Amino acid sequence: MRRRTGTIAAVGAAFVAGVVIGPIMGAGAQEGGRAETYRLLNLFGDVFERIRAEYVEPVNDRDAIENAIQGMLSGLDPHSSYMNPRMYRDMQVQTRGEFGGLGIEVSQEGGYIKVISPIDETPAARAGVRPGDLITHLNGNSVQGLSLQEAVEQMRGERGTAIRITIRREGAERPIELSITRDVIRPQVVRFRMEGGDIGYIRLSSFNEQTEAALRRAMQQLRQQAGANLKGIVLDLRNNPGGLLDQAVQVSDDFLEQGEIVSTRARRQEDAQRWNARAGDIAQGLPIVVLINAGSASASEIVAGALQDHRRAVVMGVKSFGKGSVQTVMPIPGNGAMRLTTARYYTPSGRSIQATGIEPDIEVLATREDATQQAAARRDREADLRRALRNDNAGQQAQQPAPPLPPLNLPAGLLERVQRQPAEGAAAFDPTRPETDHQLQQALQLLRGIAAAPNPQRRAAR
Protein backbone atom coordinates (compact mmCIF):
# COMPACT_ATOMS: atom_id res chain seq x y z
CA MET A 1 0.00 0.00 0.00
CA ARG A 2 2.84 2.37 0.82
CA ARG A 3 4.40 1.93 -2.63
CA ARG A 4 1.06 2.55 -4.32
CA THR A 5 0.51 5.68 -2.25
CA GLY A 6 3.91 6.98 -3.19
CA THR A 7 3.28 6.31 -6.86
CA ILE A 8 -0.10 8.04 -6.87
CA ALA A 9 1.31 10.99 -4.92
CA ALA A 10 4.06 11.36 -7.49
CA VAL A 11 1.57 11.15 -10.36
CA GLY A 12 -0.71 13.69 -8.70
CA ALA A 13 2.18 16.04 -8.00
CA ALA A 14 3.46 15.70 -11.56
CA PHE A 15 0.00 16.41 -12.99
CA VAL A 16 -0.41 19.54 -10.89
CA ALA A 17 3.15 20.56 -11.64
CA GLY A 18 2.48 20.25 -15.35
CA VAL A 19 -0.34 22.76 -15.07
CA VAL A 20 0.85 25.31 -12.56
CA ILE A 21 4.38 24.47 -11.42
CA GLY A 22 5.84 27.63 -12.96
CA PRO A 23 3.94 30.22 -10.95
CA ILE A 24 3.66 28.05 -7.84
CA MET A 25 7.38 27.41 -7.69
CA GLY A 26 8.17 31.09 -8.11
CA ALA A 27 5.81 32.10 -5.32
CA GLY A 28 6.77 29.17 -3.10
CA ALA A 29 10.49 29.91 -3.35
CA GLN A 30 9.87 33.47 -2.23
CA GLU A 31 7.46 32.70 0.60
CA GLY A 32 8.69 29.50 2.18
CA GLY A 33 11.10 27.63 -0.04
CA ARG A 34 10.70 24.75 -2.43
CA ALA A 35 10.49 22.19 0.36
CA GLU A 36 7.18 23.65 1.53
CA THR A 37 5.83 23.67 -2.02
CA TYR A 38 6.67 19.98 -2.50
CA ARG A 39 5.19 19.15 0.90
CA LEU A 40 1.89 20.71 -0.18
CA LEU A 41 1.96 18.87 -3.51
CA ASN A 42 2.50 15.63 -1.62
CA LEU A 43 -0.49 16.53 0.55
CA PHE A 44 -2.56 16.73 -2.61
CA GLY A 45 -1.31 13.32 -3.69
CA ASP A 46 -2.12 11.80 -0.28
CA VAL A 47 -5.69 13.13 -0.35
CA PHE A 48 -6.14 12.00 -3.95
CA GLU A 49 -5.03 8.48 -3.08
CA ARG A 50 -7.26 8.32 0.01
CA ILE A 51 -10.28 9.29 -2.10
CA ARG A 52 -9.47 6.67 -4.74
CA ALA A 53 -9.03 3.95 -2.13
CA GLU A 54 -11.81 4.66 0.37
CA TYR A 55 -14.60 6.76 -1.15
CA VAL A 56 -17.92 4.93 -0.98
CA GLU A 57 -18.11 4.62 -4.79
CA PRO A 58 -15.40 4.32 -7.46
CA VAL A 59 -14.01 7.72 -8.47
CA ASN A 60 -12.96 8.66 -12.00
CA ASP A 61 -9.40 9.96 -11.78
CA ARG A 62 -9.90 12.66 -14.42
CA ASP A 63 -13.04 13.97 -12.71
CA ALA A 64 -11.27 14.12 -9.36
CA ILE A 65 -8.26 15.97 -10.77
CA GLU A 66 -10.41 18.40 -12.78
CA ASN A 67 -12.55 19.10 -9.71
CA ALA A 68 -9.41 19.83 -7.71
CA ILE A 69 -8.12 22.23 -10.36
CA GLN A 70 -11.52 23.90 -10.59
CA GLY A 71 -11.59 24.38 -6.83
CA MET A 72 -8.09 25.84 -6.85
CA LEU A 73 -9.01 28.39 -9.53
CA SER A 74 -12.53 29.30 -8.38
CA GLY A 75 -11.13 29.88 -4.90
CA LEU A 76 -9.11 32.80 -6.23
CA ASP A 77 -11.89 35.10 -7.48
CA PRO A 78 -15.31 34.88 -9.17
CA HIS A 79 -13.88 34.91 -12.71
CA SER A 80 -10.99 32.41 -12.65
CA SER A 81 -11.98 28.87 -13.61
CA TYR A 82 -10.99 25.62 -15.31
CA MET A 83 -12.59 24.57 -18.59
CA ASN A 84 -12.51 20.94 -19.63
CA PRO A 85 -12.08 20.30 -23.38
CA ARG A 86 -15.80 20.54 -24.08
CA MET A 87 -16.22 23.76 -22.10
CA TYR A 88 -13.19 25.22 -23.86
CA ARG A 89 -14.67 24.42 -27.27
CA ASP A 90 -17.96 26.01 -26.19
CA MET A 91 -16.13 29.12 -25.07
CA GLN A 92 -14.35 29.40 -28.41
CA VAL A 93 -17.65 29.04 -30.26
CA GLN A 94 -19.27 31.70 -28.06
CA THR A 95 -16.38 34.09 -28.64
CA ARG A 96 -16.87 33.69 -32.39
CA GLY A 97 -20.48 34.77 -31.91
CA GLU A 98 -22.46 31.50 -32.00
CA PHE A 99 -23.29 28.94 -29.32
CA GLY A 100 -26.09 26.65 -28.20
CA GLY A 101 -28.13 27.29 -25.08
CA LEU A 102 -30.47 29.79 -23.43
CA GLY A 103 -28.71 33.09 -23.99
CA ILE A 104 -27.86 34.46 -20.54
CA GLU A 105 -24.70 35.83 -18.94
CA VAL A 106 -24.39 34.58 -15.36
CA SER A 107 -22.26 34.73 -12.22
CA GLN A 108 -22.52 32.86 -8.92
CA GLU A 109 -23.82 34.23 -5.63
CA GLY A 110 -24.57 32.41 -2.39
CA GLY A 111 -24.51 29.06 -4.15
CA TYR A 112 -27.10 30.17 -6.70
CA ILE A 113 -26.67 31.28 -10.30
CA LYS A 114 -27.24 35.02 -10.73
CA VAL A 115 -28.31 36.45 -14.07
CA ILE A 116 -26.13 39.41 -15.07
CA SER A 117 -28.01 39.95 -18.30
CA PRO A 118 -30.11 38.01 -20.82
CA ILE A 119 -28.84 38.39 -24.38
CA ASP A 120 -31.22 40.15 -26.73
CA GLU A 121 -33.50 38.00 -28.91
CA THR A 122 -32.63 34.69 -27.23
CA PRO A 123 -34.86 32.07 -25.54
CA ALA A 124 -34.02 33.46 -22.08
CA ALA A 125 -34.89 37.03 -23.06
CA ARG A 126 -38.15 35.94 -24.70
CA ALA A 127 -39.08 33.87 -21.64
CA GLY A 128 -38.77 36.96 -19.43
CA VAL A 129 -35.51 36.25 -17.58
CA ARG A 130 -34.27 39.51 -16.02
CA PRO A 131 -30.93 40.86 -14.73
CA GLY A 132 -30.60 40.07 -11.03
CA ASP A 133 -32.71 36.89 -11.15
CA LEU A 134 -31.33 34.01 -9.06
CA ILE A 135 -31.58 30.59 -10.70
CA THR A 136 -32.10 28.11 -7.87
CA HIS A 137 -33.03 24.88 -9.71
CA LEU A 138 -32.39 23.29 -13.10
CA ASN A 139 -34.91 20.63 -14.12
CA GLY A 140 -36.04 20.49 -10.49
CA ASN A 141 -32.53 19.90 -9.12
CA SER A 142 -30.94 22.47 -6.86
CA VAL A 143 -27.88 24.30 -8.20
CA GLN A 144 -26.44 24.37 -4.68
CA GLY A 145 -23.15 22.52 -4.77
CA LEU A 146 -22.63 23.04 -8.50
CA SER A 147 -19.77 25.17 -9.74
CA LEU A 148 -20.64 28.00 -12.12
CA GLN A 149 -19.19 26.00 -15.01
CA GLU A 150 -21.21 22.91 -14.12
CA ALA A 151 -24.42 24.92 -14.04
CA VAL A 152 -23.62 26.61 -17.35
CA GLU A 153 -22.89 23.22 -18.91
CA GLN A 154 -26.31 21.95 -17.81
CA MET A 155 -28.06 24.98 -19.29
CA ARG A 156 -26.38 24.49 -22.65
CA GLY A 157 -27.50 21.78 -25.02
CA GLU A 158 -28.80 20.86 -28.42
CA ARG A 159 -31.22 23.11 -30.24
CA GLY A 160 -34.85 22.14 -29.61
CA THR A 161 -34.27 20.53 -26.22
CA ALA A 162 -36.03 22.07 -23.23
CA ILE A 163 -34.95 22.84 -19.69
CA ARG A 164 -36.95 23.91 -16.65
CA ILE A 165 -35.41 26.65 -14.54
CA THR A 166 -36.62 27.95 -11.18
CA ILE A 167 -36.00 31.63 -10.48
CA ARG A 168 -36.07 33.64 -7.28
CA ARG A 169 -36.75 37.28 -8.14
CA GLU A 170 -36.59 40.36 -5.94
CA GLY A 171 -40.15 41.42 -5.11
CA ALA A 172 -41.79 38.17 -6.26
CA GLU A 173 -43.77 36.36 -3.57
CA ARG A 174 -42.93 32.86 -4.79
CA PRO A 175 -40.39 31.17 -7.08
CA ILE A 176 -40.94 31.52 -10.82
CA GLU A 177 -40.92 28.38 -12.97
CA LEU A 178 -39.92 28.75 -16.62
CA SER A 179 -39.64 26.10 -19.33
CA ILE A 180 -37.21 27.30 -22.00
CA THR A 181 -36.37 25.60 -25.27
CA ARG A 182 -32.70 25.81 -26.17
CA ASP A 183 -31.67 27.32 -29.47
CA VAL A 184 -28.54 28.11 -31.41
CA ILE A 185 -27.61 31.49 -30.00
CA ARG A 186 -26.42 33.87 -32.66
CA PRO A 187 -26.75 37.13 -30.83
CA GLN A 188 -27.09 40.17 -33.05
CA VAL A 189 -24.40 42.09 -31.25
CA VAL A 190 -25.18 45.44 -32.91
CA ARG A 191 -28.65 46.90 -33.44
CA PHE A 192 -29.27 50.35 -34.83
CA ARG A 193 -31.98 52.70 -36.00
CA MET A 194 -32.70 56.39 -36.50
CA GLU A 195 -34.56 58.22 -33.74
CA GLY A 196 -36.65 61.09 -35.02
CA GLY A 197 -34.67 61.33 -38.25
CA ASP A 198 -31.74 63.13 -36.60
CA ILE A 199 -30.17 60.92 -33.88
CA GLY A 200 -28.52 57.58 -34.56
CA TYR A 201 -29.18 54.87 -31.96
CA ILE A 202 -26.66 52.01 -31.71
CA ARG A 203 -26.97 49.21 -29.18
CA LEU A 204 -24.06 46.84 -28.49
CA SER A 205 -25.26 43.70 -26.68
CA SER A 206 -21.83 42.03 -26.24
CA PHE A 207 -18.22 42.17 -27.41
CA ASN A 208 -17.35 39.17 -29.57
CA GLU A 209 -15.25 38.91 -32.71
CA GLN A 210 -18.05 40.48 -34.80
CA THR A 211 -18.72 43.61 -32.73
CA GLU A 212 -16.40 46.28 -34.10
CA ALA A 213 -16.98 45.41 -37.75
CA ALA A 214 -20.75 45.42 -37.17
CA LEU A 215 -20.47 48.81 -35.43
CA ARG A 216 -18.74 50.31 -38.46
CA ARG A 217 -21.44 48.94 -40.77
CA ALA A 218 -24.14 50.38 -38.51
CA MET A 219 -22.51 53.80 -38.50
CA GLN A 220 -22.20 53.76 -42.29
CA GLN A 221 -25.87 52.86 -42.76
CA LEU A 222 -27.02 55.51 -40.30
CA ARG A 223 -25.13 58.14 -42.28
CA GLN A 224 -26.71 56.90 -45.49
CA GLN A 225 -30.19 57.11 -43.93
CA ALA A 226 -29.78 60.51 -42.26
CA GLY A 227 -27.30 62.30 -44.48
CA ALA A 228 -26.59 65.82 -43.24
CA ASN A 229 -29.45 65.58 -40.70
CA LEU A 230 -27.45 63.33 -38.33
CA LYS A 231 -26.95 65.38 -35.14
CA GLY A 232 -25.62 62.83 -32.64
CA ILE A 233 -25.21 59.23 -31.56
CA VAL A 234 -26.62 57.26 -28.64
CA LEU A 235 -24.33 54.31 -27.84
CA ASP A 236 -26.39 51.95 -25.66
CA LEU A 237 -24.27 49.65 -23.48
CA ARG A 238 -26.98 48.83 -20.94
CA ASN A 239 -27.02 45.17 -19.87
CA ASN A 240 -23.95 44.50 -22.04
CA PRO A 241 -21.94 41.97 -20.00
CA GLY A 242 -18.68 42.56 -21.91
CA GLY A 243 -16.47 40.13 -23.79
CA LEU A 244 -13.21 40.51 -25.67
CA LEU A 245 -10.72 43.16 -24.58
CA ASP A 246 -9.42 43.76 -28.10
CA GLN A 247 -12.96 44.50 -29.31
CA ALA A 248 -13.46 47.03 -26.50
CA VAL A 249 -10.22 48.72 -27.56
CA GLN A 250 -11.25 48.82 -31.22
CA VAL A 251 -14.73 50.18 -30.45
CA SER A 252 -13.23 52.93 -28.28
CA ASP A 253 -10.65 53.68 -30.98
CA ASP A 254 -13.46 54.12 -33.52
CA PHE A 255 -14.62 57.26 -31.68
CA LEU A 256 -11.26 58.68 -30.52
CA GLU A 257 -8.67 60.58 -32.54
CA GLN A 258 -5.79 60.11 -30.12
CA GLY A 259 -4.81 59.33 -26.54
CA GLU A 260 -4.83 56.32 -24.29
CA ILE A 261 -7.80 53.95 -24.38
CA VAL A 262 -7.04 51.57 -21.51
CA SER A 263 -4.07 50.14 -19.64
CA THR A 264 -3.60 46.91 -17.71
CA ARG A 265 -1.37 46.29 -14.70
CA ALA A 266 -0.37 42.77 -13.77
CA ARG A 267 1.51 41.26 -10.87
CA ARG A 268 4.86 42.11 -12.48
CA GLN A 269 5.48 45.66 -13.67
CA GLU A 270 7.04 44.46 -16.91
CA ASP A 271 3.72 42.80 -17.89
CA ALA A 272 1.81 46.10 -17.91
CA GLN A 273 0.24 47.04 -21.25
CA ARG A 274 -1.22 50.19 -22.74
CA TRP A 275 -3.43 50.76 -25.80
CA ASN A 276 -3.64 54.09 -27.62
CA ALA A 277 -6.09 55.42 -30.18
CA ARG A 278 -5.20 56.01 -33.80
CA ALA A 279 -6.46 58.94 -35.84
CA GLY A 280 -9.96 58.55 -37.25
CA ASP A 281 -13.39 59.06 -35.67
CA ILE A 282 -16.23 57.21 -37.41
CA ALA A 283 -18.72 59.66 -35.87
CA GLN A 284 -16.72 62.61 -37.28
CA GLY A 285 -17.00 64.63 -34.08
CA LEU A 286 -20.76 64.29 -33.59
CA PRO A 287 -21.79 64.43 -29.92
CA ILE A 288 -22.28 61.04 -28.25
CA VAL A 289 -24.23 59.87 -25.21
CA VAL A 290 -23.27 56.47 -23.75
CA LEU A 291 -26.02 54.73 -21.78
CA ILE A 292 -24.95 52.37 -18.95
CA ASN A 293 -26.60 50.54 -16.06
CA ALA A 294 -25.79 47.90 -13.44
CA GLY A 295 -25.67 45.25 -16.19
CA SER A 296 -22.91 47.05 -18.11
CA ALA A 297 -19.73 45.14 -17.29
CA SER A 298 -16.12 44.54 -18.29
CA ALA A 299 -15.57 45.54 -21.94
CA SER A 300 -18.59 47.86 -21.72
CA GLU A 301 -16.94 49.68 -18.86
CA ILE A 302 -13.68 49.99 -20.80
CA VAL A 303 -15.52 51.76 -23.63
CA ALA A 304 -17.58 53.96 -21.30
CA GLY A 305 -14.52 54.86 -19.23
CA ALA A 306 -12.37 55.72 -22.25
CA LEU A 307 -14.98 57.95 -23.87
CA GLN A 308 -15.81 59.56 -20.52
CA ASP A 309 -12.19 60.30 -19.56
CA HIS A 310 -11.52 61.94 -22.93
CA ARG A 311 -14.84 63.80 -22.72
CA ARG A 312 -15.68 62.35 -26.11
CA ALA A 313 -19.07 61.28 -24.78
CA VAL A 314 -21.47 62.07 -21.98
CA VAL A 315 -22.11 58.94 -19.89
CA MET A 316 -25.72 58.71 -18.72
CA GLY A 317 -27.70 56.19 -16.67
CA VAL A 318 -26.73 54.51 -13.40
CA LYS A 319 -23.47 53.11 -12.05
CA SER A 320 -22.09 50.11 -13.94
CA PHE A 321 -21.30 46.59 -12.69
CA GLY A 322 -17.67 47.15 -11.69
CA LYS A 323 -15.72 44.27 -13.27
CA GLY A 324 -12.28 45.76 -13.74
CA SER A 325 -10.18 42.62 -14.12
CA VAL A 326 -8.70 40.88 -17.16
CA GLN A 327 -8.96 37.11 -17.63
CA THR A 328 -6.39 35.34 -19.79
CA VAL A 329 -7.41 31.99 -21.32
CA MET A 330 -4.44 29.61 -21.18
CA PRO A 331 -4.87 26.41 -23.22
CA ILE A 332 -3.60 23.21 -21.60
CA PRO A 333 -2.78 20.83 -24.47
CA GLY A 334 -5.13 17.87 -24.37
CA ASN A 335 -6.85 19.10 -21.21
CA GLY A 336 -8.98 22.13 -22.02
CA ALA A 337 -7.87 25.51 -20.68
CA MET A 338 -7.75 27.66 -17.60
CA ARG A 339 -9.24 31.14 -17.35
CA LEU A 340 -7.02 33.08 -14.97
CA THR A 341 -7.32 36.65 -13.73
CA THR A 342 -3.97 38.16 -14.70
CA ALA A 343 -4.41 41.94 -14.49
CA ARG A 344 -6.60 44.89 -13.56
CA TYR A 345 -7.46 47.46 -16.18
CA TYR A 346 -7.44 51.23 -15.79
CA THR A 347 -9.20 54.03 -17.64
CA PRO A 348 -7.07 56.71 -19.38
CA SER A 349 -7.10 58.91 -16.26
CA GLY A 350 -5.72 56.04 -14.17
CA ARG A 351 -8.97 54.94 -12.50
CA SER A 352 -9.52 51.31 -11.58
CA ILE A 353 -13.23 50.55 -11.73
CA GLN A 354 -12.85 47.13 -10.09
CA ALA A 355 -15.69 46.69 -7.56
CA THR A 356 -16.69 50.37 -7.97
CA GLY A 357 -17.95 50.72 -11.54
CA ILE A 358 -18.24 53.69 -13.86
CA GLU A 359 -20.17 56.58 -12.34
CA PRO A 360 -22.34 58.29 -14.98
CA ASP A 361 -21.78 61.96 -15.70
CA ILE A 362 -25.55 62.39 -15.46
CA GLU A 363 -27.56 59.96 -13.33
CA VAL A 364 -30.88 59.04 -14.94
CA LEU A 365 -33.00 56.24 -13.49
CA ALA A 366 -34.91 53.82 -15.66
CA THR A 367 -38.01 53.81 -13.43
CA ARG A 368 -39.32 55.70 -10.42
CA GLU A 369 -38.98 52.52 -8.38
CA ASP A 370 -35.20 52.66 -8.88
CA ALA A 371 -35.06 55.62 -6.52
CA THR A 372 -36.35 53.47 -3.64
CA GLN A 373 -34.41 50.32 -4.52
CA GLN A 374 -30.82 51.49 -4.21
CA ALA A 375 -29.94 48.71 -1.77
CA ALA A 376 -31.25 46.07 -4.17
CA ALA A 377 -29.29 47.64 -7.02
CA ARG A 378 -26.08 47.50 -5.00
CA ARG A 379 -26.45 43.75 -4.63
CA ASP A 380 -26.27 43.34 -8.40
CA ARG A 381 -22.64 44.40 -8.77
CA GLU A 382 -19.12 42.97 -8.73
CA ALA A 383 -18.33 44.18 -5.20
CA ASP A 384 -20.95 41.83 -3.77
CA LEU A 385 -19.58 38.65 -5.38
CA ARG A 386 -17.67 36.34 -3.06
CA ARG A 387 -13.88 36.71 -3.28
CA ALA A 388 -14.16 39.70 -5.62
CA LEU A 389 -10.84 41.48 -6.09
CA ARG A 390 -10.50 44.67 -4.09
CA ASN A 391 -10.21 48.05 -5.74
CA ASP A 392 -6.70 49.43 -5.46
CA ASN A 393 -7.51 53.05 -6.33
CA ALA A 394 -6.61 54.20 -2.83
CA GLY A 395 -3.08 52.80 -3.05
CA GLN A 396 -2.57 54.12 -6.56
CA GLN A 397 -3.88 57.56 -5.64
CA ALA A 398 -1.59 57.75 -2.66
CA GLN A 399 1.38 57.35 -5.02
CA GLN A 400 0.07 59.41 -7.94
CA PRO A 401 -3.48 60.79 -7.70
CA ALA A 402 -5.49 60.57 -10.92
CA PRO A 403 -6.25 64.00 -12.38
CA PRO A 404 -9.88 65.12 -12.12
CA LEU A 405 -11.98 64.77 -15.24
CA PRO A 406 -12.52 67.94 -17.28
CA PRO A 407 -15.94 69.55 -16.89
CA LEU A 408 -18.75 68.46 -19.20
CA ASN A 409 -18.95 71.93 -20.75
CA LEU A 410 -22.58 71.56 -21.83
CA PRO A 411 -24.61 74.46 -23.21
CA ALA A 412 -26.04 76.67 -20.45
CA GLY A 413 -29.26 75.38 -18.92
CA LEU A 414 -29.21 72.05 -20.76
CA LEU A 415 -28.21 69.90 -17.80
CA GLU A 416 -31.06 71.31 -15.71
CA ARG A 417 -33.58 70.09 -18.29
CA VAL A 418 -32.57 66.44 -17.82
CA GLN A 419 -35.16 64.58 -15.71
CA ARG A 420 -33.55 62.17 -13.25
CA GLN A 421 -36.57 59.85 -13.17
CA PRO A 422 -39.77 59.36 -15.17
CA ALA A 423 -42.70 61.58 -14.38
CA GLU A 424 -45.30 60.20 -12.00
CA GLY A 425 -47.81 58.14 -13.95
CA ALA A 426 -45.49 57.67 -16.94
CA ALA A 427 -46.07 54.58 -19.08
CA ALA A 428 -44.22 51.44 -17.96
CA PHE A 429 -41.14 50.57 -19.96
CA ASP A 430 -41.87 48.49 -23.04
CA PRO A 431 -38.77 47.46 -25.06
CA THR A 432 -40.81 47.58 -28.27
CA ARG A 433 -41.75 51.23 -27.65
CA PRO A 434 -38.71 53.56 -27.43
CA GLU A 435 -40.90 56.40 -26.18
CA THR A 436 -41.29 54.50 -22.87
CA ASP A 437 -37.51 54.26 -22.40
CA HIS A 438 -36.87 57.19 -20.06
CA GLN A 439 -33.07 56.99 -20.17
CA LEU A 440 -33.06 56.92 -23.97
CA GLN A 441 -35.46 59.86 -24.20
CA GLN A 442 -33.26 61.95 -21.90
CA ALA A 443 -30.23 61.07 -24.03
CA LEU A 444 -32.05 62.19 -27.19
CA GLN A 445 -33.07 65.45 -25.56
CA LEU A 446 -29.50 66.12 -24.43
CA LEU A 447 -28.04 65.46 -27.88
CA ARG A 448 -30.57 67.69 -29.60
CA GLY A 449 -29.83 70.42 -27.09
CA ILE A 450 -26.09 70.17 -27.77
CA ALA A 451 -26.68 70.23 -31.54
CA ALA A 452 -28.98 73.26 -31.27
CA ALA A 453 -26.53 75.34 -29.23
CA PRO A 454 -24.71 78.06 -31.21
CA ASN A 455 -21.19 77.02 -32.20
CA PRO A 456 -21.19 73.80 -30.16
CA GLN A 457 -17.72 73.08 -28.85
CA ARG A 458 -16.41 69.70 -29.92
CA ARG A 459 -14.71 67.71 -27.22
CA ALA A 460 -11.10 67.10 -27.99
CA ALA A 461 -9.29 63.98 -26.94
CA ARG A 462 -6.60 64.37 -24.31
Side-chain angles (χ1 to χ4, degrees):
M1 182 67 179
R2 180 174 300 171
R3 185 175 67 179
R4 184 184 178 200
T5 301
T7 300
I8 294 300
V11 171
F15 182 89
V16 176
V19 178
V20 295
I21 195 67
I24 285 183
M25 288 301 294
Q30 294 175 4
E31 296 172 3
R34 295 190 176 188
E36 176 66 7
T37 300
Y38 282 120
R39 187 186 71 79
L40 294 173
L41 290 174
N42 284 329
L43 171 63
F44 172 82
D46 291 342
V47 172
F48 178 51
E49 170 59 17
R50 186 64 59 87
I51 291 171
R52 294 179 80 248
E54 300 185 22
Y55 187 67
V56 64
E57 294 180 352
V59 174
N60 180 281
D61 288 356
R62 173 169 287 276
D63 290 344
I65 292 291
E66 289 184 348
N67 289 337
I69 297 172
Q70 176 59 37
M72 177 167 54
L73 288 166
S74 62
L76 299 173
D77 65 73
H79 307 294
S80 295
S81 61
Y82 172 72
M83 295 176 283
N84 63 30
R86 192 174 108 188
M87 293 177 182
Y88 182 38
R89 288 193 299 271
D90 288 346
M91 185 275 296
Q92 291 173 305
V93 169
Q94 182 173 349
T95 299
R96 289 194 295 269
E98 177 181 299
F99 58 94
L102 305 181
I104 48 177
E105 295 287 341
V106 295
S107 63
Q108 196 162 34
E109 179 180 294
Y112 295 122
I113 306 303
K114 170 171 272 189
V115 177
I116 296 177
S117 175
I119 300 172
D120 291 348
E121 300 299 323
T122 62
R126 290 191 290 268
V129 177
R130 301 179 186 174
D133 284 348
L134 290 179
I135 299 175
T136 62
H137 292 75
L138 297 173
N139 285 330
N141 299 314
S142 174
V143 300
Q144 292 275 355
L146 295 179
S147 68
L148 181 60
Q149 283 66 38
E150 289 170 336
V152 168
E153 191 169 354
Q154 287 190 26
M155 286 187 282
R156 289 182 179 172
E158 295 296 325
R159 177 182 185 179
T161 60
I163 184 172
R164 287 185 296 109
I165 67 173
T166 306
I167 287 174
R168 195 168 69 195
R169 178 174 294 164
E170 185 81 22
E173 295 182 358
R174 61 187 64 185
I176 300 169
E177 296 276 351
L178 296 174
S179 179
I180 306 178
T181 301
R182 299 180 180 93
D183 200 352
V184 174
I185 307 301
R186 297 186 184 93
Q188 187 175 343
V189 293
V190 177
R191 296 178 179 276
F192 64 94
R193 63 177 183 265
M194 290 299 302
E195 285 287 344
D198 59 349
I199 303 295
Y201 171 85
I202 303 175
R203 167 165 171 74
L204 307 186
S205 60
S206 65
F207 288 83
N208 63 29
E209 292 177 4
Q210 315 300 323
T211 300
E212 194 268 343
L215 170 65
R216 283 183 167 271
R217 289 193 297 269
M219 193 69 219
Q220 183 180 20
Q221 293 186 45
L222 288 173
R223 284 199 173 279
Q224 291 174 353
Q225 293 175 27
N229 293 327
L230 192 60
K231 297 177 181 177
I233 299 295
V234 174
L235 184 64
D236 190 351
L237 301 179
R238 291 174 296 179
N239 295 325
N240 181 323
L244 298 176
L245 173 62
D246 68 323
Q247 289 290 304
V249 169
Q250 291 178 43
V251 167
S252 302
D253 192 0
D254 282 344
F255 297 109
L256 294 173
E257 290 282 2
Q258 62 180 8
E260 182 179 312
I261 295 172
V262 67
S263 63
T264 61
R265 301 174 197 171
R267 182 172 174 176
R268 295 183 295 270
Q269 289 187 353
E270 60 269 25
D271 292 332
Q273 292 183 280
R274 190 181 306 273
W275 288 264
N276 293 305
R278 299 161 296 180
D281 173 6
I282 64 173
Q284 299 178 13
L286 289 172
I288 301 171
V289 170
V290 175
L291 293 178
I292 61 170
N293 65 5
S296 306
S298 191
S300 298
E301 295 170 299
I302 289 176
V303 174
L307 300 186
Q308 182 183 54
D309 279 13
H310 286 289
R311 284 298 181 227
R312 179 61 187 93
V314 177
V315 178
M316 181 182 286
V318 296
K319 187 168 72 170
S320 63
F321 185 76
K323 181 182 177 295
S325 60
V326 178
Q327 283 68 48
T328 301
V329 176
M330 305 175 181
I332 305 170
N335 291 285
M338 59 190 289
R339 181 190 286 112
L340 187 66
T341 300
T342 54
R344 291 179 174 87
Y345 68 75
Y346 296 79
T347 69
S349 66
R351 294 180 294 159
S352 166
I353 61 89
Q354 171 61 26
T356 62
I358 295 290
E359 292 281 357
D361 297 310
I362 305 174
E363 183 182 55
V364 176
L365 307 181
T367 67
R368 293 185 66 85
E369 288 74 19
D370 285 348
T372 59
Q373 293 179 349
Q374 295 300 314
R378 281 195 295 270
R379 290 198 298 270
D380 290 337
R381 293 186 168 91
E382 171 83 6
D384 301 294
L385 300 180
R386 293 183 61 193
R387 294 182 295 274
L389 293 178
R390 70 183 186 282
N391 185 290
D392 62 349
N393 272 337
Q396 295 293 334
Q397 291 173 358
Q399 301 173 25
Q400 186 177 1
L405 297 180
L408 282 176
N409 196 25
L410 294 173
L414 184 57
L415 184 59
E416 289 71 23
R417 298 208 297 270
V418 175
Q419 299 177 26
R420 182 173 178 268
Q421 60 184 354
E424 190 170 355
F429 172 65
D430 180 346
T432 65
R433 299 171 57 207
E435 65 272 18
T436 66
D437 186 341
H438 178 68
Q439 292 169 322
L440 171 60
Q441 293 305 314
Q442 297 308 298
L444 298 176
Q445 173 183 286
L446 186 76
L447 287 170
R448 289 176 179 132
I450 295 173
N455 300 318
Q457 179 178 352
R458 300 303 186 195
R459 296 170 177 78
R462 290 174 187 265

